[in-house]
Each structure stands twice: as C-alpha cells, then as structure tokens.
Amino acid sequence: MDKTIHEQWTCKFAKVKAVVVQLDELISRIKIDHKIQKTTEEPLSINIFTTRADAGEPKVEAPKSANYQSCVFGQDTQISWKFSGIEKSQVTWFFKGQPLPTNSRFQVTETDDGTSTLSIHQAELVDQGDYIARATNADGEAEARTTLNIVCIKPIINTNLDAAMQVTKDETMTLKIAASGTPKPGIVWMRGNDQLTPNNRIQMTTPTHNVDIYTLTILNVQPEDQGEYSAMISNVGGSLQSIKCKVTVSSTSS
C-alpha cells in the first residue's frame, strides 16, 4: 500500500491525524493515542488552600488581648476571654505569674463557644493585679491579660458625735458615731491627744453586718474622764476626723 498517495488526499481532512500502512506502526500509534487520551481525561487536582503553620493555634476573640477592669472592694466580679481555634483549647488562669487555684472565692467556667470566665467572690485588696488566661492546644497557645483594680471607698461620717455631753459621776457614758466606707473603716477613739484602749471600764464596739454605728462606752464615770472626745475613722481609701465632743462630769445629776 502506497503511503504517499494516501497522504496526498488525506491532507485535505483536518481530522485525519496520520496515515499508517504497517500493522506494527498502527499498534504503536494506538498505544500512544490511548496514553494521551488517558492523561487528558484524568481530573485536574488543584490545591486552592494555603495552609499556614499556625492556622490551628488558639486566637483571642477581641480587638486587643489586654484590658483593664475595676471592682469595688467586697463585691463579686468576673473576667472573661473568648478563644477560637480549629482544635478546642485548654484554658489555664494565672495570677501574678502563678497558676490560679480554684476555691470558694475563685471559680472558672467555660462555654461551648470558647469563652472562659473567672469569677471572683467578694474581691479583696490582695486580688488586685494581672490575671492571664492562657489557651493551649496541639498547635500552640494564646494569652489574654486583664489588670484588675480594687476600688476602695473613702470613709464618710453619716452621724457625727454630739458637740457636748454632761455625765454624772459613777454613771455610764456612751458616745456614738455612724460612719461607712469600703472596706469597713476602723476607728480610733481619743480623749484630748491620748488614744483610748479598751479595759474593764472602757468598752468599744464596731459595726456588724449592715449596721454602721461605732460606740465608746465608759462605765463608772469619774472626774478624770472629763475632756474632749473625738474619733478618727480610716480605711485604705482615706481617713477623717470627727468633731470633738466636750464631756463634763458632774458630782450630782442636774
């Protein structure tokens, strides 16, 4: 079979790719075409995702990973941070760089959306400082910090001492002053420039629960108990002085 003659007329047809007159050549051509067709029909695999090394690390779900928070002394407060990540994180809380143990005053709760909340019951001055929530998973860790400030309320005198008092010798004298503040203020009773201390004749009481009255009681009043009495009220927020109460001791009742 003349291959040249056939090539002359087949060249007019675009779909005719080749003229083969030998059996071995035909078989070889079929194998080549089969490989080309198989390669063309295989699905094209394209990776459209760029995988970052830190893609699974926890992340803080907040504009900033540090904030400031205040709480009034003696009140309850909460600190919350939300973390995200491909894998669920384990959150550990730290206070002043040390792991914070949970107890009756410190409790940690977590929700399914990745929020960890530290609850502080009846905040004290020693609770002031930096709290860190550290989220950790197999891919890494992330931290968020809250600086907690404990606010104290300076004492105020709600009811001051009487300006003057007359007491009969051998009777009982009681001075009262009402004051409040947070934390609860302490009191120092004075007679003139001398600080009074409790004994078998001098008794002092401080407020309990919601009562804000402080009392100074002197039993079996004697002439030497006469003088100007005052009280100094103070807490970590500040201090203030009461007015002076001039006590006069008479030998007989008027």
Side-chain angles (χ1 to χ4, degrees):
M1 184 178 294
D2 192 340
K3 181 178 179 180
T4 304
I5 295 175
H6 288 291
E7 287 178 342
Q8 290 177 354
W9 67 265
T10 56
C11 66
K12 299 178 182 180
F13 301 94
K15 291 186 177 182
V16 178
K17 302 300 181 182
V19 175
V20 180
V21 296
Q22 298 295 327
L23 180 60
D24 292 342
E25 185 181 358
L26 176 61
I27 294 173
S28 176
R29 185 72 188 188
I30 292 173
K31 289 181 178 180
I32 292 173
D33 289 345
H34 179 70
K35 288 182 179 180
I36 294 173
Q37 182 180 5
K38 184 178 180 181
T39 302
T40 304
E41 291 178 351
E42 286 182 352
L44 182 62
S45 178
I46 302 176
N47 183 10
I48 62 174
F49 299 100
T50 301
T51 303
R52 291 170 43 195
D54 61 349
E57 289 185 358
K59 291 180 176 56
V60 180
E61 291 295 310
K64 295 182 179 180
S65 59
N67 62 22
Y68 293 86
Q69 191 169 315
S70 295
C71 172
V72 176
F73 180 94
Q75 300 297 311
D76 295 345
T77 190
Q78 290 184 331
I79 302 173
S80 293
W81 286 101
K82 183 178 179 180
F83 297 92
S84 63
I86 296 176
E87 182 182 340
K88 183 175 176 60
S89 302
Q90 175 69 40
V91 179
T92 305
W93 285 86
F94 295 82
F95 177 56
K96 295 182 178 179
Q98 299 298 320
L100 183 64
T102 57
N103 51 40
S104 58
R105 291 188 57 242
F106 295 91
Q107 296 290 328
V108 175
T109 56
E110 295 184 355
T111 56
D112 293 337
D113 66 351
T115 300
S116 182
T117 300
L118 171 65
S119 299
I120 303 175
H121 179 59
Q122 294 182 346
E124 301 176 359
L125 290 176
V126 293
D127 299 331
Q128 183 168 280
D130 288 341
Y131 290 82
I132 292 177
R134 181 178 298 163
T136 307
N137 65 18
D139 296 315
E141 65 179 37
E143 288 186 353
R145 183 184 74 248
T146 294
T147 300
L148 181 64
N149 179 43
I150 305 300
V151 178
C152 298
I153 300 175
K154 183 178 179 179
I156 59 172
I157 294 177
N158 302 312
T159 304
N160 220 319
L161 297 176
D162 294 330
M165 177 181 291
Q166 185 169 342
V167 187
T168 303
K169 180 178 177 294
D170 298 329
E171 291 188 351
T172 297
M173 175 187 78
T174 298
L175 300 178
K176 294 182 179 181
I177 187 171
S180 59
T182 304
K184 192 178 293 294
I187 188 169
V188 174
W189 289 97
M190 306 286 293
R191 181 174 60 234
N193 295 323
D194 299 326
Q195 179 177 335
L196 299 176
T197 56
N199 55 36
N200 58 346
R201 272 202 328 120
I202 299 176
Q203 301 174 356
M204 302 175 185
T205 63
T206 56
T208 57
H209 304 294
N210 295 325
V211 179
D212 61 357
I213 297 176
Y214 299 76
T215 64
L216 169 67
T217 300
I218 299 179
L219 307 176
N220 190 25
V221 173
Q222 299 300 309
E224 58 266 27
D225 295 322
Q226 185 169 282
E228 290 184 330
Y229 288 78
S230 63
M232 174 67 73
I233 309 291
S234 62
N235 65 11
V236 293
S239 60
L240 73 166
Q241 182 87 31
S242 72
I243 64 171
K244 294 180 179 180
C245 175
K246 185 176 182 180
V247 175
T248 303
V249 178
S250 60
S251 56
T252 58
S253 58
S254 55

